[in-house]
Amino acid sequence: EAGVTQSPTHLIKTRGQQATLRCSPISGHTSVYWYQQALGLGLQFLLWYDEGEERNRGNFPPRFSGRQFPNYSSELNVNALELEDSALYLCASSLPGVGRRAQYFGPGTRLTVL
Amino acid sequence: DQQVKQNSPSLSVQEGRISILNCDYTNSMFDYFLWYKKYPAEGPTFLISISSIKDKNEDGRFTVFLNKSAKHLSLHIVPSQPGDSAVYFCAASERGSGANNLFFGTGTRLTVIP
């Protein structure tokens, strides 16, 4: 069974541009999560989507947004890129339902902002 | 404010011996705890979890212990193998609805010496 996939693997942008990152969950998983791992830091929760709706949001500015499509894949959009947005962005998916569900991660997208 | 803490950035262990990775948390609302392993250039891989109604969960060479009164959990790997060399992240989630996001520690780099 295919795991969580993410594209692109690497993305290089300049300050002020927009970045779009994509994620496909494991088949049967309806929840998708986005995390940011900046250099030297642990994973920081960004967004949680389930059944097409945003369910929860971490402590990030509104220029971080996303959506979930009917096939449960998801996009993360980062507008007005800043240098400190350079990080590894990880997507995870889990089975439906609230609480006590292991999340399974993709390989990540390395975003570099110049 | 880091709600999940891994105070040892690194740990070295001889092959065949026990590896003990530690994690502390501050949020008393956490009721589900997970350990992930991460190799370079890959996303975190789910290892083992424990809910707050238990104090021990075992899966093969991996055992997680939870001490709720001390707000502490640990991962034991016995026997340690060179392939276990990776960064290990502790994670936790809160009880209640709408709180599927995970809070991660900053990771411990385990090196198993052959």
Side-chain angles (χ1 to χ4, degrees), chain B residues 33-81:
Chain B
F33 304 88
L34 309 89
W35 283 95
Y36 285 84
K37 176 171 74 172
K38 187 177 186 299
Y39 293 119
E42 294 182 12
T45 302
F46 169 69
L47 272 177
I48 191 168
S49 63
I50 188 167
S51 86
S52 58
I53 62 173
K54 294 186 171 184
D55 54 19
K56 177 183 173 181
N57 189 26
E58 197 170 348
D59 183 1
R61 297 185 298 114
F62 301 92
T63 302
V64 56
F65 294 92
L66 175 62
N67 182 335
K68 289 186 288 295
S69 60
K71 292 192 176 69
H72 177 83
L73 66 157
S74 60
L75 175 68
H76 293 209
I77 306 173
V78 183
S80 301
Q81 300 173 353

Side-chain angles (χ1 to χ4, degrees), chain A residues 42-104:
Chain A
L43 283 74
Q44 304 291 320
F45 168 73
L46 264 167
L47 290 158
W48 167 32
Y49 290 95
D50 184 61
E51 296 289 352
E53 301 282 334
E54 181 181 304
R55 302 293 185 185
N56 198 11
R57 183 180 183 86
N59 190 23
F60 282 84
R63 55 191 187 80
F64 287 83
S65 66
R67 53 181 173 165
Q68 187 178 33
F69 299 99
N71 66 353
Y72 304 114
S73 67
S74 175
E75 266 182 12
L76 174 69
N77 295 294
V78 188
N79 293 320
L81 284 165
E82 300 178 3
L83 296 177
E84 53 265 34
D85 297 334
S86 294
L88 180 67
Y89 289 84
L90 290 159
C91 172
S93 72
S94 73
L95 289 167
V98 174
R100 298 187 182 177
R101 302 244 185 264
Q103 296 177 17
Y104 296 85

